[in-house]
């Protein structure tokens, strides 16, 4: 049983996808154009944002937001250590300094109390990451950002359609970055990303940034980048977007089944859902002291698992210049030794979840 089975997704909607791809081939427009603008409109609507700018990755979405807010060298940006390396990397390539903080033991997301302690006179922004598909505590984080006049950016790469207090991820701060990497809840057949925002001026700036700093053909107002989305990816994403709600429901159903089958195992800590959050289970992450042996046991039973992430960002060699050391963020470090992501995606049937749960039970109970 695979964590992600893209072939299964392909088989289920193959004819629609083939039709969309051949429309792009016939059109002769391979970068941007109407396929991209159509997808932008549809995705903005799906996440209840006023504007969406499609880009070529989640990393470039984060970089574009930071640069479009004029965040660069001399500026500090706060983000969690327990995240995909790309979150931190985007801050670095913008020229700013990442200021890492620990996560909450309960929800694995950035700890609002630690954010407050990390604020310096140089702090310009906070990037809240909605890790594994569960929104960070956006009520508290938004209040901190407002009180200290900091830009609030959301990394929604794992949180398509997730909500907190009924508001969709991507709408709490100035902008939200999404990824459409193939294995995300909404994935292209290649790289893809997007920025959503409710501010028209920022949307225009982002549109110019991803197109060489150009608002108008042949006129370059500032140094931007080429971060444009391929038309083929946009056409594929438009098809898949129609199924995102349904696929998200299956992820939630699968998570509920794990809760049902595994909640009486004291050796396993199940994810905790914040009462005000709707978790979209990009990953279903359990914790156990016997992580390595359990992983081995499941692999032998042909059940694929993964670790997101085995090394917290503050201990990554690329960031050694920041001077962090082992022991700086004890919650993130402990998590990295205990977490294990189980198959939860939409291609997993109820029977599969039962089989996986039984195998975990067998490991602990024999
Ligand atoms: C995947 C991911 C990214 C990067 O997105 P890409 O499209 O791979 O560049 C950033 N942040 C988080 C939390 C992610 O999971």
């Amino acid at each position: 049983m695979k964590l992600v089975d893209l072939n299964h997704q392909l088989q289920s909607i193959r004819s629609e996808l083939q039709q969309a791809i051949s429309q792009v081939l016939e059109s002769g427009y391979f970068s941007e154009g109407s396929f991209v603008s159509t997808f932008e409109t549809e995705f903005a609507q799906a996440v209840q944002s006023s504007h969406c700018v499609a880009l070529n990755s989640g990393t470039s979405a984060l970089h574009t937001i930071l640069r479009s807010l004029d965040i660069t060298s001399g500026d500090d940006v706060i983000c969690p250590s327990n995240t995909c390396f790309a979150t931190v990397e985007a801050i670095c390539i913008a020229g700013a300094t990442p200021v890492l903080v620990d996560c909450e033991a309960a929800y694995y997301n950035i700890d609002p109390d630690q954010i407050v302690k990390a604020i310096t006179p140089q702090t310009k922004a906070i990037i809240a990451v909605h890790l594994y598909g569960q929104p960070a505590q956006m009520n508290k984080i938004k209040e901190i950002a407002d009180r200290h006049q900091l830009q609030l950016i959301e990394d929604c790469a794992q949180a398509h359609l997730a909500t907190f207090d009924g508001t969709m991820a991507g709408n709490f701060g100035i902008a939200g970055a999404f990824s459409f990497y193939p294995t995300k809840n909404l994935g292209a057949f290649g790289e893809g990303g997007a920025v959503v925002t409710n501010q028209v001026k920022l949307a225009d700036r982002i549109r110019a940034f991803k197109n060489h700093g150009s608002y108008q053909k042949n006129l370059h107002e500032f140094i931007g980048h080429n971060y444009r989305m391929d038309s083929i990816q946009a056409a594929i994403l438009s098809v898949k977007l129609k199924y995102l709600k349904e696929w998200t429901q299956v992820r939630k159903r699968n998570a509920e089944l794990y809760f049902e089958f595994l909640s009486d195992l004291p050796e396993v800590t199940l994810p905790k859902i914040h009462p005000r959050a709707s978790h979209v289970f990009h990953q279903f992450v359990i914790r156990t002291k016997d992580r390595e042996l359990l992983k081995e046991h499941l692999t032998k039973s042909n059940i694929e698992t993964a670790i997101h992430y085995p090394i917290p960002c503050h201990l990554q060699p690329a960031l050694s210049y920041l001077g962090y050391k082992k022991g700086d963020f004890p919650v993130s470090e402990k998590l990295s030794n205990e977490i294990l992501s189980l198959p939860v995606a939409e291609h997993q049937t109820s029977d599969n979840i039962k089989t996986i749960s039984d195998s975990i039970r067998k490991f602990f109970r024999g």
Side-chain angles (χ1 to χ4, degrees), residues 15-30 34-35 38 231-232 235-236 238-239:
S15 65
E16 270 183 279
L17 286 167
Q18 277 177 333
Q19 201 184 349
I21 291 167
S22 76
Q23 274 175 1
V24 177
L25 299 186
E26 299 298 332
S27 79
Y29 286 98
F30 298 112
S34 66
F35 296 98
T38 298
S231 309
I232 251 178
I236 288 164
S238 282
V239 172

Side-chain angles (χ1 to χ4, degrees), residues 56-60 62 83-84 86-87 129 131 155 157-158 178-181 184 191-193 282 309:
N56 63 352
S57 78
T59 308
S60 45
L62 287 165
T83 182
C84 170
T87 316
V129 182
L131 201 66
D155 181 339
Q158 305 189 359
F178 284 86
S179 166
F180 306 121
Y181 182 74
K184 305 285 166 146
E191 305 287 343
H282 174 60
Y309 298 93

Side-chain angles (χ1 to χ4, degrees), residues 151-164:
Q151 302 284 12
L152 177 55
I153 299 162
E154 295 173 74
D155 181 339
C156 309
Q158 305 189 359
H160 314 71
L161 306 188
T163 67
F164 191 89

Side-chain angles (χ1 to χ4, degrees), residues 4 17 19 25 80 96 160 206 214 228 247 262 282 346-347:
V4 181
L17 286 167
Q19 201 184 349
L25 299 186
H160 314 71
I206 284 168
S214 172
R228 298 180 298 244
W247 291 342
L262 297 173
H282 174 60
E346 74 282 346
H347 54 86

